[in-house]
Amino acid sequence: MKRIGILTSGGDCSGLNAAIRAVVFSAIERGWEVYGIHNATNGLILRPLAYHKMSLSEFEFPFATLGGTMLGTTNQGNPNVFPTSDGKTEKLTDEEIVERFKEGVEELGLEALVVIGGDGSMNIVSRYCQAAGVAMVGIPKTIDNDAPGTDLAIGFATARSVVADALDKLNTTGGSHHRVMVVEVMGRGAGHLALESAIAGFADVALIPEIPYTYEGVLNKLKQMNAKGCTHSLVVIAEGIKSPEGKNSFSVNGRTFGGISEYFVDRLSKDGFNVRGNVLGHIQRSGTPVAVDRILASSFGVHAVELLAQNKTNRVVAHQNGKITDISLEEALKIGNSPVDPNGEMVHVARNLGIYVGE
Ligand code: F6P
């Protein structure tokens, strides 16, 4: 290897810059060149190409300690629609995209691409890479923590701390006003973030997409707490759960997910509770990465470069049972995403703490 590209794709999260740093540092240490591709694959597909040659000095101050991604990203709903320089959009066919991507890779002379992304991005970018004949290594990131084959994805630990911190704050105001604080947490179709944050933030209810619940179950829990003299409570709701009637598509400000907490605020108010709702939103994707994410991102970046140095390509790095390892891209794509195991440890802990997590 002499020259590699690196890009971030999909929703941002904390720890991406630390991962970019790790790849750049360990690649340059080997005498390689690293090209940072801007705005996910757009940097190779749109014209002019958008990239820059990366250097150690870029990290002097202060990117690696910040959330977001210094390379930019996209998580466009339609992967065939692209922005144009005059502020409009253009639609490219799959063939056109791959052709442009291939030309971009060739123009920069890239021998491999390090792709930092979630399961959706890994799927799309791997198709481009395969069609363009360029090798790739994936690094999983997502606050949803549902990336395949890894116990941890970059961004999850920081998001979990952000939510736990928010729960601590909502606990004091909820306690002062004797209120039920309903808190809606991101995660798409996965409940890892809601469940683990609920445990960390000492919540009373945690509803997640993987476990069916009843409204009566929530109500009973809150009534039991009142009967025991507790006058306030924290109800954590994953954005991806269905309403008890089975409605699963809530949309706020054009987002596919988001809005289910309103249902509970409304219904619990009608049942006589003093309730306030909070949708934490994109604040969960930001903030200085916690040490766990910095170490994970650094380890993933180093491992990705080691794989390339050994000519092991089309692999995705992973964290399994406390160790950094890798799985094949094919396997990762086959697994898709990994939801909360309803019989797993976190659900067991939550139940034994008396948290209502469904039936
Ligand atoms: O997948 C990460 C995530 O933050 C989800 O938890 C959330 O539903 C979604 O992205 C939000 O996407 P957007 O930034 O497009 O609103």
Side-chain angles (χ1 to χ4, degrees):
M1 288 290 161
K2 291 202 173 60
R3 187 179 288 177
I4 61 171
I6 181 166
L7 58 83
T8 47
S9 180
D12 72 337
C13 62
S14 294
L16 294 177
N17 293 324
I20 297 167
R21 175 184 182 274
V23 170
V24 171
F25 271 51
S26 51
I28 289 181
E29 190 70 22
R30 289 172 191 273
W32 302 355
E33 289 177 339
V34 185
Y35 280 69
I37 312 299
H38 299 179
N39 302 323
T41 48
N42 281 7
L44 292 170
I45 294 167
L46 301 181
R47 298 293 178 267
L49 295 177
Y51 67 94
H52 72 280
K53 189 174 169 193
M54 302 200 74
S55 65
L56 301 185
S57 61
E58 280 181 73
F59 297 91
E60 240 176 318
F61 181 86
F63 282 121
T65 60
L66 295 179
T69 163
M70 62 197 288
L71 292 175
T73 187
T74 63
N75 60 346
Q76 54 210 51
N78 184 339
N80 291 71
V81 176
F82 294 87
T84 53
S85 49
D86 58 2
K88 297 188 177 143
T89 53
E90 67 173 330
K91 200 165 179 204
L92 300 179
T93 64
D94 285 347
E95 292 72 33
E96 286 168 332
I97 293 171
V98 168
E99 195 45 43
R100 289 210 199 172
F101 181 85
K102 186 168 188 260
E103 279 168 14
V105 167
E106 283 167 4
E107 191 174 326
L108 298 186
L110 304 178
E111 289 165 77
L113 259 188
V114 176
V115 177
I116 310 175
D119 54 313
S121 302
M122 232 43 109
N123 200 335
I124 294 170
V125 185
S126 68
R127 274 196 286 114
Y128 297 167
C129 285
Q130 201 182 11
V134 62
M136 73 168 260
V137 167
I139 297 182
K141 65 88 213 164
T142 168
I143 66 163
D144 307 341
N145 208 32
D146 58 351
T150 186
D151 323 317
L152 270 180
I154 296 170
F156 175 66
T158 304
R160 187 178 53 190
S161 287
V162 169
V163 179
D165 182 51
L167 293 179
D168 288 350
K169 290 175 174 135
L170 293 170
N171 213 2
T172 55
T173 173
S176 306
H177 289 266
H178 315 291
R179 282 176 170 154
V180 175
M181 302 304 279
V182 174
V183 189
E184 185 177 307
V185 172
M186 278 186 170
R188 282 187 204 262
H192 298 283
L193 186 56
L195 179 63
E196 294 194 27
S197 307
I199 294 172
F202 310 129
D204 309 294
V205 174
L207 303 182
I208 60 172
E210 294 87 345
I211 301 181
Y213 70 94
T214 60
Y215 177 74
E216 289 66 35
V218 176
L219 202 58
N220 287 343
K221 172 71 191 175
L222 299 180
K223 282 183 179 166
Q224 274 168 19
M225 290 184 60
N226 278 356
K228 286 180 188 152
C230 303
T231 61
H232 80 286
S233 42
L234 281 176
V235 173
V236 175
I237 295 184
E239 63 177 1
I241 65 163
K242 293 179 181 172
S243 74
E245 291 79 27
K247 186 171 182 285
N248 65 354
S249 134
F250 298 88
S251 189
V252 171
N253 298 331
R255 290 191 52 226
T256 318
F257 289 108
I260 176 72
S261 55
E262 281 304 308
Y263 175 95
F264 284 88
V265 172
D266 190 49
R267 205 158 160 193
L268 289 169
S269 302
K270 286 184 182 137
D271 276 320
F273 288 93
N274 181 1
V275 194
R276 290 293 184 273
N278 297 265
V279 180
L280 296 186
H282 287 78
I283 197 156
Q284 295 160 95
R285 290 227 302 247
S286 59
T288 185
V290 296
V292 169
D293 265 329
R294 295 184 195 199
I295 293 168
L296 185 73
S298 300
S299 311
F300 276 178
V302 166
H303 193 70
V305 171
E306 275 169 347
L307 286 173
L308 291 175
Q310 294 159 16
N311 271 323
K312 289 187 187 159
T313 55
N314 300 329
R315 311 283 303 167
V316 179
V317 302
H319 181 274
Q320 291 175 355
N321 305 318
K323 291 217 158 49
I324 304 296
T325 179
D326 50 274
I327 61 173
S328 75
L329 181 59
E330 198 187 344
E331 191 188 346
L333 297 177
K334 205 160 95 197
I335 300 171
N337 47 27
S338 63
V340 172
D341 175 2
N343 300 311
E345 198 181 336
M346 286 299 109
V347 176
H348 173 78
V349 170
R351 285 202 200 282
N352 279 278
L353 288 169
I355 300 176
Y356 176 75
V357 281
E359 305 300 324

